[in-house]
Amino acid sequence: MTQFIDLGLAAPILKALGEEGYATPTPIQAAAIPHVITGRDLVGIAQTGTGKTAAFALPILNRLANDQRRPARNACRVLVLSPTRELSAQILDSFRRYGRHLGLSSALVIGGVPIERQARTIAPGIDILVATPGRLLDLVNRFRFRLDNVDTLVLDEADRMLDMGFIHAIKAICGKLPAERLSLLFSATMPPAIAALAEQFLRNPARVAVTPPAATVDAIDQRVIMLDRGAKPTALAELLRQPEVRRALVFTRTKHGADRVVRGLEKSGITAEAIHGNKAQGQRERALGGFRNGRVRVLVATDIAARGIDVDDISHVINFDLPNIAETYVHRIGRTARAGTSGVAISFCSDADERGYLRDIETLIRRRIPASQRNGAERAAAPAAPAPRPPQPAAQARPDRRGHRPAKGRNKAAVNAARGAGEDLGGLSFLRQPVRSGERPNRGSRPRDERKIGNDR
Ligand code: AMP
């Protein structure tokens, strides 16, 4: 397997990676880094959680390490455009972590903070600037910043930038960049508008992609528990006390979240181990070995750390946090029900801020996951009949404006009434307080800040 050391990265970058505990590049990193190091434009199809930020940050840092020019006043050498403030801050943080031994300057230009202060911060010239398009264009139009010195451009999450209406700002910014530059575009999807953008602003780009899996494994019994965020630790402990849970893999969105979960379980008298990027390789291997040989019954992992886990006979996958990328859900639950065994996947969904993620997952897997309220946690550990199919394939049974899906063969009111009365609707009998179909907001109603992406895996 390729190691970072094989990719030709400069020693200060390898040192920082070692300190981060990263030894092996993720697939998108292994595919993208060699192209960027040699100065080729690149289109990367990858979602958050795949390690895509380092896929562009590392080779860009490498180029800067090999070229000690100083940035000009009111200008930058590397420009990264990203759709949101949160993502921009996370990208900047990645550049700073991986580049901490290089002595480079970096800054953030985002809306919502005083523009004058921002203009003053970047006035001396900046090596790496991460910006949201609107605010950057504002600074450029006020003649407080110039783009004619940029030698590397990154358009990150290009599809989201387009969704958020930044196309004109992006085109205006790209129009002011020097023709001679390196350009990278990353996007989770490749609709025609993104292909056109790449065609217009990139030159003969290499293409790399990490493909999401197509469908959920049918043998997995999937359930959701709707609950308050604060109730998750207790619900998890209750669940893990069930004898059916022989070997459980618990997923959190962040490294700190994983540590918190382990500490919480320890307080409840349940032994668990965490694996994530902050753990030394040796610690990870020990935890994984213990999980494999049965000494560790509960392993708490982040998505990237879980990539190397190839353990059969995981009886339960528990999503302590729902992933913000629907495909990640499919990857996660695919860890159970391997080699012909059956498995249970239980997801905690915070009432306040994870319903949009659940909706995305159900749309992707084209089925509705049976849901119970918090007090269904204990019984949800027991095997149940296979999860029912949604009333109709998602493509035909579109939710109405309030999020109701039409029910096939039964009148919708009758279905809701039956659920309220606790009637078994084919495998839903474990629900004590079923969630009615209209209670989940549809995608359009998801608040923007809920799309915030955790980069702390
Ligand atoms: P991203 O897809 O860029 O949001 O990255 C997801 C998370 O994976 C980030 O928290 C990174 O710190 C982490 N990460 C990136 N590359 C690696 C790697 N090669 N090994 C372990 N963790 C990584």
Side-chain angles (χ1 to χ4, degrees):
M1 200 192 275
T2 312
Q3 302 291 301
F4 278 118
I5 200 153
D6 306 323
L7 294 174
L9 295 166
I13 301 174
L14 291 174
K15 183 171 176 212
L17 287 172
E19 289 158 358
E20 293 288 314
Y22 302 169
T24 315
T26 65
I28 191 78
Q29 291 164 3
I33 291 172
H35 290 299
V36 184
I37 281 188
T38 58
R40 174 131 185 229
D41 281 7
L42 180 95
V43 171
I45 309 294
Q47 286 104 0
T48 297
T50 55
K52 71 176 166 64
T53 314
F56 61 79
L58 295 174
I60 287 175
L61 286 166
N62 198 68
R63 288 167 60 83
L64 294 176
N66 291 328
D67 174 359
Q68 299 290 337
R69 264 176 301 171
R70 302 309 321 156
R73 261 193 85 70
N74 294 314
C76 64
R77 300 173 66 198
V78 174
L79 173 64
V80 182
L81 293 180
S82 109
T84 65
R85 296 185 222 172
E86 294 81 11
L87 184 62
S88 301
Q90 287 158 12
I91 294 169
L92 184 74
D93 178 61
S94 297
F95 271 100
R96 287 184 174 167
R97 281 188 291 127
Y98 309 140
R100 63 175 158 253
H101 301 300
L102 292 172
L104 298 164
S105 55
S106 54
L108 204 57
V109 158
I110 50 176
V113 291
I115 194 163
E116 259 315 306
R117 197 170 352 131
Q118 238 164 28
R120 280 198 301 275
T121 308
I122 58 179
I126 294 288
D127 288 307
I128 302 152
L129 187 75
V130 185
T132 49
R135 174 56 67 95
L136 179 69
L137 196 58
D138 205 355
L139 280 164
V140 171
N141 289 340
R142 293 175 190 214
F143 302 103
R144 301 302 299 272
F145 201 70
R146 337 184 340 216
L147 297 171
D148 53 357
N149 270 309
V150 171
D151 63 34
T152 304
L153 166 75
V154 181
L155 300 172
D156 192 23
E157 304 219 347
D159 47 355
R160 273 176 83 199
M161 287 205 279
L162 259 50
D163 280 352
M164 290 171 68
F166 284 135
I167 185 71
H168 298 299
I170 292 172
K171 287 189 170 171
I173 289 168
C174 289
K176 295 176 194 295
L177 299 173
E180 215 34 66
R181 62 166 195 263
L182 175 68
S183 306
L184 316 175
L185 179 150
F186 281 81
S187 185
T189 55
M190 190 44 71
I194 301 288
L197 199 67
E199 176 71 24
Q200 190 175 356
F201 294 114
L202 277 68
R203 267 201 315 213
N204 183 28
R207 286 169 201 280
V208 297
V210 281
T211 37
T216 316
V217 185
D218 277 338
I220 302 172
D221 171 14
Q222 301 167 59
R223 302 147 188 213
V224 170
I225 297 172
M226 308 296 300
L227 74 185
D228 289 338
R229 180 167 286 286
K232 286 185 176 186
T234 318
L236 180 65
E238 280 170 12
L239 204 50
L240 293 175
R241 282 201 191 96
Q242 304 303 304
E244 294 89 352
V245 182
R246 284 176 288 106
R247 184 178 280 159
L249 182 56
V250 179
F251 282 98
T252 61
R253 248 195 319 257
T254 68
K255 296 183 269 207
H256 297 304
D259 288 334
R260 263 197 307 276
V261 165
V262 169
R263 284 197 301 273
L265 288 175
E266 271 162 11
K267 279 193 198 135
S268 309
I270 296 169
T271 312
E273 298 243 15
I275 54 163
H276 53 63
N278 281 359
K279 299 267 179 188
Q281 189 66 19
Q283 284 176 309
R284 284 201 248 182
E285 278 166 15
R286 266 195 303 285
L288 204 49
F291 190 54
R292 202 173 277 129
N293 69 24
R295 181 178 56 78
V296 176
R297 190 175 64 105
V298 180
L299 191 67
V300 184
T302 56
D303 291 301
I304 292 232
R307 277 189 310 126
I309 301 179
D310 189 15
V311 179
D312 285 339
D313 205 22
I314 293 174
S315 65
H316 288 71
V317 166
I318 299 169
N319 292 311
F320 186 84
D321 299 313
L322 275 181
N324 47 10
I325 301 295
E327 284 84 359
T328 304
Y329 173 84
V330 182
H331 281 297
R332 288 182 178 184
I333 71 165
R335 303 291 176 159
T336 183
R338 288 228 174 140
T341 60
S342 63
V344 180
I346 298 172
S347 302
F348 290 168
C349 177
S350 152
D351 273 324
D353 54 12
E354 291 183 314
R355 285 170 172 238
Y357 300 151
L358 180 58
R359 170 64 52 138
D360 289 352
I361 290 165
E362 291 184 327
T363 303
L364 177 78
I365 66 175
R366 293 176 158 236
R367 66 162 68 192
R368 192 182 158 115
I369 309 171
S372 66
Q373 284 291 351
R374 156 80 179 90
N375 63 357
E378 312 92 307
R379 292 186 58 191
R389 296 243 157 229
Q392 290 179 11
Q396 292 153 33
R398 296 225 174 276
D400 66 17
R401 273 192 297 125
R402 295 174 55 210
H404 292 283
R405 285 174 201 266
K408 186 182 172 188
R410 290 185 75 162
N411 151 320
K412 189 168 65 188
V415 171
N416 283 340
R419 287 177 166 193
E423 182 193 327
D424 185 354
L425 289 169
L428 287 174
S429 55
F430 75 98
L431 306 184
R432 291 185 187 168
Q433 292 171 11
V435 176
R436 285 183 299 280
S437 59
E439 286 180 1
R440 293 187 199 156
N442 60 21
R443 193 189 172 113
S445 66
R446 179 148 48 118
R448 179 160 287 173
D449 59 356
E450 197 189 304
R451 299 182 182 188
K452 194 162 95 183
I453 290 174
N455 198 18
D456 178 33
R457 278 170 214 107

